[in-house]
Amino acid sequence: MLRSIHSGLSLRWRLSLWYAVVFGLTLLILLTVVQQVTRAVLVSDLDARLRKSAQDTAALLLKDSGYSNPEVVNSVLQANSIGGLADSPLITIIRSPDHTILSTSAGGLDLGDFRISEEGRDRVAAGEDVYETIRLEDGRRVRLYSYPVIDQGKVVAIVQTSESLQHVESALDRFQRIFILGSLIAAAVAGPVGYLLAHRGLNPLERVVRTARQIEASDLKRRLAMQGAPAEVQRLADTFDSMLARLEEAFEQQKRFVADVSHELRTPLTALRGNIDVLLLDPGLPPELREQLSRMSAECGRLIRLSSNLLYLAQADLGRPLDVRPVDLDVLCLEVLHQARDLNRKVRIRMQHEDQVTVMGDADRLKQLVLNLVENAVKYTPPGGTVSLGLYREEGWARIVVRDTGPGIPEEDLPHIFERFYRANGRRRAGGAGLGLAIAQWAARTHGGEITVQSTLHKGSTFTVRLPIHPPDVPAPPRRAAGPPAGDAPTDAARPRPAPAGPPARS
Ligand code: ADP
């Protein structure tokens, strides 16, 4: 339970808690030690007083062997310089060697309780002085000092001096109360102070957390670059920064790798598919072989699409700049339509409306954008359905509409379909990788445009792309990408006129 509370607490609270616990324990230990030392000092002062008084009395008794005369004994107590015994808390008792009381300064006080232990008796009889703490019947504790009076090597009397320990104890009690009260006040102050100190101490750490939170996978160029933080936090921030640098390097390598591999794959795959398609042109092919070759051609098409998408994705991540030129969207749309017809002959594909629109942009990316939308429409529309493409010219904008009569997209999937690798439930068999829309979205955005979608279950979906005819953020041509040369473009997409498009990558 305690452990679970502890693990649920923030570091700040934990530090304050530890601070309070350690502070409390330290005070407790200090209290115990100070109490013991004070007690020892007070008792030893008292012992010294008792000893001095007993020795003075013994000296008087020894004078002229007065200890054998009861009158002398009585008068010794009266004359004792410690005297004024009536007012003093110190009691003196003179006993014979067999411990019979000869005289006492305590007057009418019952001295029956002031008994020395058996062991003490033996030690006194042997000529030793003995200190003992005894408890009286009323519960009070007193200190009793027994001093043997020795004359010619013989114990001739015993002088006992005694004083109540009440003063010592009440002083210690008062001290304890004051100490506990002081400790409580100190703890009440120390709690918030500890919290404030922890807060101040952890503030730089908070800064690290805040900045680290702002850094996303797509933003690995950022660094904490913390200066002047406490040494431990500075070390943490520096380690975090160098970890980010390593991560950035690893991500870059991964992106370059994906770009290289997908590019390398795409070329032989395109050649392979071309060869298969040439074989398919032979009218004498046995039907079984034709069927197999068609399947191979379709699979090649799927792999080409996948590697194209991967390549675009890697380029997006690498931040490859646009290759901006005038692009005729009407030509581009016709090419896409032509490609899409190869995809699925059982779906009707038509151009619903076509204005002549030229935009400034990157032909490859724009083509991939429209291609991905149309391919999706064809892919998800069941045989007998219709996919239509429309291109509209509006005030300063081009609008491309891709409509299908497919199954529609469930409402809960709509907010996610543009995310990378997101695939709506049950769509795995359609053979995509969840990249098409992410790339289309990225392509639209890099041109200052946007994609919206409307979909009704079991009726169909409509994807609308709006592209500015002169995108404000897109740099003016002529401009060549700093990235891979033009030949590295993932698709042989619509080339701006007058250089008409070469055969687009087969899809
Ligand atoms: P995928 O490779 O799976 O097609 P996309 O990013 O192109 O990946 O699409 C993401 C998801 O959006 C798809 O898995 C599919 O569920 C849904 N989707 C996209 N276009 C359509 C469409 N025209 N009709 C129905 N669902 C679609």
Side-chain angles (χ1 to χ4, degrees), residues 302 305-306 309 376 379-380 422-423 427-436:
R302 205 176 68 80
R305 280 197 303 280
L306 185 64
N309 276 338
N376 271 354
K379 199 161 61 176
Y380 295 114
Y422 185 84
R423 314 200 47 233
R427 294 282 156 77
R428 267 177 199 283
R429 284 198 304 156
L435 293 175

Side-chain angles (χ1 to χ4, degrees), residues 260-274:
D260 290 350
V261 168
S262 42
H263 181 254
E264 289 303 319
L265 273 178
R266 211 181 53 82
T267 316
L269 281 171
T270 312
L272 188 65
R273 184 169 186 193

Side-chain angles (χ1 to χ4, degrees), residues 318-333:
L318 285 168
R320 194 188 144 199
L322 297 177
D323 180 15
V324 179
R325 288 152 195 248
V327 181
D328 293 327
L329 287 182
D330 43 326
V331 177
L332 184 146
C333 284

Side-chain angles (χ1 to χ4, degrees), residues 306 309 372-381 402-404 406-410 413 416-428 430-439 453 455 460-463:
L306 185 64
N309 276 338
N372 283 357
L373 295 182
V374 174
E375 272 180 3
N376 271 354
V378 173
K379 199 161 61 176
Y380 295 114
T381 302
V402 181
R403 184 170 288 130
D404 65 59
I409 303 167
D413 289 329
H416 304 291
I417 54 173
F418 291 101
E419 291 168 12
R420 283 183 188 190
F421 303 108
Y422 185 84
R423 314 200 47 233
N425 280 339
R427 294 282 156 77
R428 267 177 199 283
L435 293 175
L437 289 181
I439 286 164
V453 56
S455 191
S461 313
T462 305
F463 286 82

Side-chain angles (χ1 to χ4, degrees), residues 148-221:
V149 183
I150 298 171
D151 193 13
Q152 292 170 7
K154 257 180 66 191
V155 176
V156 291
I158 299 161
V159 178
Q160 288 184 318
T161 45
S162 173
E163 196 175 310
S164 165
L165 283 171
Q166 204 178 345
H167 284 92
V168 173
E169 273 160 6
S170 71
L172 284 175
D173 264 9
R174 268 207 311 280
F175 169 77
Q176 195 178 30
R177 272 201 300 276
I178 291 169
F179 198 94
I180 288 176
L181 190 74
S183 303
L184 285 178
I185 293 171
V189 175
V193 167
Y195 185 82
L196 278 181
L197 287 180
H199 183 76
R200 268 197 67 165
L202 292 175
N203 243 355
L205 217 56
E206 280 288 322
R207 259 171 57 214
V208 175
V209 173
R210 268 200 308 275
T211 320
R213 236 184 235 149
Q214 287 162 8
I215 298 175
E216 295 168 6
S218 55
D219 184 24
L220 289 172
K221 290 211 174 337

